Amino acid sequence: MNAARKRIVLAVAAAAIGAGLSLAPTAGATSQSDAGLQASCNWPYVCFYKGSTKTGQFKDVTSGWQNLGASKGADRMVNTRRDDIVYTHFTNGNTWCTPPENTTYFNSWVVDKIRISSASSC
């Protein structure tokens, strides 16, 4: 994430927190700063991280949710899959869809489940 984008994200986050709002996850193509995370997460995995520590990886397409275990509450997820989307479920009941080859930052939502789908777009 470049410096200007980081400042914008931080400003929006500060305003939302000040207003008592909970920030939704954000997804984007893997940036240069995420290259190290992507390098530690090989295709065809979906990997979860807390800071720079990989807490888990998943690869099975499922019709139901998989509990995250040690990855519950991760701060980001890397989807290295080229054609599959990833749904994440949060403790607040919301869900989020991450396209192929993208990284998602979970902000203030607490991720607790994952479902990998063979669909190619959200």
Side-chain angles (χ1 to χ4, degrees):
M1 188 180 302
N2 67 35
R5 184 171 178 206
K6 280 184 184 178
R7 283 192 297 273
I8 292 169
V9 168
L10 290 174
V12 170
I17 291 168
L21 300 175
S22 178
L23 290 177
T26 58
T30 301
S31 69
Q32 180 106 11
S33 63
D34 290 324
L37 295 180
Q38 182 119 12
S40 72
C41 186
N42 297 318
W43 177 87
Y45 289 97
V46 174
C47 300
F48 288 85
Y49 296 87
K50 290 180 182 176
S52 60
T53 302
K54 182 165 60 170
T55 57
Q57 62 184 26
F58 297 80
K59 72 174 185 177
D60 296 332
V61 173
T62 62
S63 59
W65 294 105
Q66 299 178 71
N67 291 320
L68 291 184
S71 294
K72 180 179 179 180
D75 54 41
R76 76 191 74 132
M77 176 194 75
V78 176
N79 179 8
T80 66
R81 299 176 75 93
R82 297 181 185 116
D83 298 317
D84 301 325
I85 60 174
V86 178
Y87 291 103
T88 44
H89 181 274
F90 300 90
T91 57
N92 63 8
N94 289 320
T95 59
W96 185 263
C97 180
T98 301
E101 298 181 305
N102 271 255
T103 298
T104 295
Y105 298 88
F106 297 126
N107 300 320
S108 65
W109 291 8
V110 178
V111 62
D112 63 352
K113 298 176 187 178
I114 180 178
R115 184 168 63 84
I116 301 172
S117 169
S118 59
S120 59
S121 62
C122 292

